[in-house]
Amino acid sequence: MTHGKVFKFFFVLAACSSFCRWMLAQDLSQPKKRDFSLKIPVELVVVPVTVEDKDGRLVPGLQKGDFEVREEGTVQKLTYFSADPLPLSVAILFDRSTDSRTQTNIQETLLPLIESFSAFDEIALFQFENTTDKIQDFTLEKDQILKAFKNMSLRGSPPPVSGGPFTVEPNINGIPVETGTGRVSQPKTLNAHIDDAIFAASQELRRRGKERRKVIIIISNGQNAPGNRNSYESTMESVLSSDIAIYGIGQGSALLYRKKLNALTKYADATGGAVFYPVKTGSFSDSYQKIAQMARNQYVLGYAQNEVQKVTFCRISVRVKNTEVKVANVRSRKGYYATPRF
């Protein structure tokens, strides 16, 4: 074998050796293939719960074993429990159709409203009537919220009057009409779309962080005008799918008709919230504080979602089964929308 052929032979051998080492390195750097396995995540149904005594005070110190949760009448096995307070994402909805007295009370209690939340809570402000406008996006800066409140375009109607010598007589073409109950104020045309306002706020809240508890506070007379683009059912689906609790500040006619034709009560009861009816300026501040406390200090229960073949509304109920605890009221959402797991 000539020197040239020997050189060429060792050159090819070295090249092959380098290539083999490169291939081996590449193989070792790649993750080894594993057998295929399908893992179906178990969906957790989360149920925030507020527990109150007969004086409306929050009941602390309860444990997982103190609660019983039923879905469609069947007791569920609780796999998750927490009593830790969480930061809030709060959407405040202000009804522009409320009367001037209400709007004055709100303006005078702006600072207590904002100060009822902590420095870790983010707040957004909306005003609505037949349309919903976002006045201030979610922010931790309380000064921004105060400024946004003061810049709202309010046009308060006269406060409601239930009768008396100074009320307006009903009339037809300017001619007074006698009634058997005396003089009453003429009914105001409904123009507030509460379903649409709550739907809009829920869409904004669903984009907030999952580590935050989501809350809607709606200040309104509770009278829902016809013509909403979103139905109550579709709005509730949006609210419940985002784990939102709704709290109301009932004003105007809501003070007279707290249960009848009151959309605030309907939404609050379904989501585990509550409605307050402050009259005096001081009671507004108390209501704000109670809402913040209720929203932040909830027990959170969780259990595995039951299998469904299609999107289904599942009714749930919660009770405190520990008879040694004096409980007067347990607030929780009345159900959730279960989705199929594929």
Side-chain angles (χ1 to χ4, degrees):
M1 183 179 293
T2 64
H3 290 290
K5 290 182 178 181
V6 171
F7 177 81
K8 186 180 296 183
F9 171 79
F10 281 106
F11 177 83
V12 172
L13 182 63
C16 289
S17 177
S18 299
F19 179 77
C20 290
R21 287 196 300 271
W22 178 81
M23 288 295 294
L24 180 61
Q26 290 295 105
D27 182 69
L28 292 175
S29 67
Q30 296 297 324
K32 293 185 177 181
K33 293 184 179 179
R34 299 177 180 177
D35 294 335
F36 177 81
S37 63
L38 178 63
K39 295 183 179 180
I40 301 176
V42 177
E43 297 293 336
L44 197 68
V45 179
V46 178
V47 187
V49 180
T50 301
V51 183
E52 300 170 291
D53 63 17
K54 62 182 179 62
D55 297 318
R57 294 175 300 201
L58 300 181
V59 177
L62 298 180
Q63 302 300 317
K64 182 172 70 173
D66 296 324
F67 292 92
E68 179 185 87
V69 178
R70 290 176 179 264
E71 180 179 310
E72 297 294 341
T74 302
V75 177
Q76 303 298 306
K77 180 181 179 181
L78 298 179
T79 57
Y80 179 83
F81 174 83
S82 174
D84 297 331
L86 293 176
L88 306 177
S89 290
V90 184
I92 301 176
L93 300 176
F94 191 87
D95 185 348
R96 292 181 64 241
S97 70
T98 53
D99 60 81
S100 56
R101 182 186 303 160
T102 297
Q103 297 185 4
T104 298
N105 286 333
I106 296 300
Q107 292 285 0
E108 292 177 351
T109 57
L110 285 181
L111 189 58
L113 171 60
I114 303 304
E115 290 299 329
S116 62
F117 299 102
S118 76
F120 303 101
D121 300 329
E122 58 178 11
I123 303 172
L125 177 62
F126 301 78
Q127 66 178 12
F128 73 96
E129 202 166 357
N130 60 340
T131 59
T132 303
D133 301 311
K134 181 167 65 175
I135 306 302
Q136 172 62 54
D137 202 355
F138 288 95
T139 179
L140 299 172
E141 301 296 329
K142 295 182 178 181
D143 289 343
Q144 294 293 326
I145 297 297
L146 288 171
K147 182 179 178 180
F149 255 115
K150 294 176 181 179
N151 290 337
M152 284 197 306
S153 55
L154 304 178
R155 55 154 197 79
S157 59
V161 183
S162 59
F166 299 105
T167 57
V168 180
E169 293 181 335
N171 65 83
I172 299 177
N173 296 329
I175 303 175
V177 177
E178 295 294 333
T179 67
T181 58
R183 300 177 178 180
V184 294
S185 58
Q186 298 186 60
K188 179 184 179 295
T189 301
L190 296 181
N191 198 33
H193 289 175
I194 293 178
D195 295 331
D196 288 343
I198 292 177
F199 183 88
S202 70
Q203 293 297 300
E204 295 283 343
L205 280 167
R206 73 187 308 163
R207 291 191 282 268
R208 310 315 298 171
K210 291 185 177 181
E211 76 283 359
R212 292 181 171 274
R213 190 160 290 153
K214 299 173 178 61
V215 176
I216 291 175
I217 299 176
I218 178 169
I219 304 170
S220 173
N221 57 24
Q223 296 189 64
N224 197 12
N228 282 262
R229 292 178 293 279
N230 300 280
S231 66
Y232 171 78
E233 290 74 19
S234 63
T235 301
M236 279 304 308
E237 183 173 359
S238 177
V239 168
L240 292 177
S241 64
S242 301
D243 297 328
I244 297 171
I246 297 177
Y247 296 86
I249 299 291
Q251 287 296 291
S253 57
L255 296 171
L256 303 175
Y257 308 103
R258 299 192 178 193
K259 295 295 182 182
K260 300 177 181 178
L261 303 175
N262 191 336
L264 304 187
T265 302
K266 193 175 180 181
Y267 275 108
D269 288 349
T271 61
V275 183
F276 298 87
Y277 300 90
V279 178
K280 298 180 180 179
T281 302
S283 56
F284 274 82
S285 300
D286 294 339
S287 297
Y288 302 149
Q289 290 287 344
K290 185 66 182 293
I291 289 174
Q293 291 173 4
M294 292 175 68
R296 190 186 317 284
N297 300 294
Q298 291 181 310
Y299 299 100
V300 181
L301 314 177
Y303 63 92
Q305 177 189 301
N306 297 303
E307 291 188 9
V308 294
Q309 300 303 315
K310 60 181 181 180
V311 177
T312 305
F313 180 76
C314 300
R315 292 175 176 82
I316 58 177
S317 61
V318 181
R319 75 179 185 94
V320 176
K321 61 182 181 180
N322 186 342
T323 56
E324 297 181 359
V325 180
K326 302 302 180 182
V327 174
N329 196 15
V330 178
R331 301 180 188 272
S332 68
R333 56 177 175 158
K334 297 300 185 288
Y336 73 100
Y337 284 89
T339 56
R341 298 198 299 266
F342 297 108

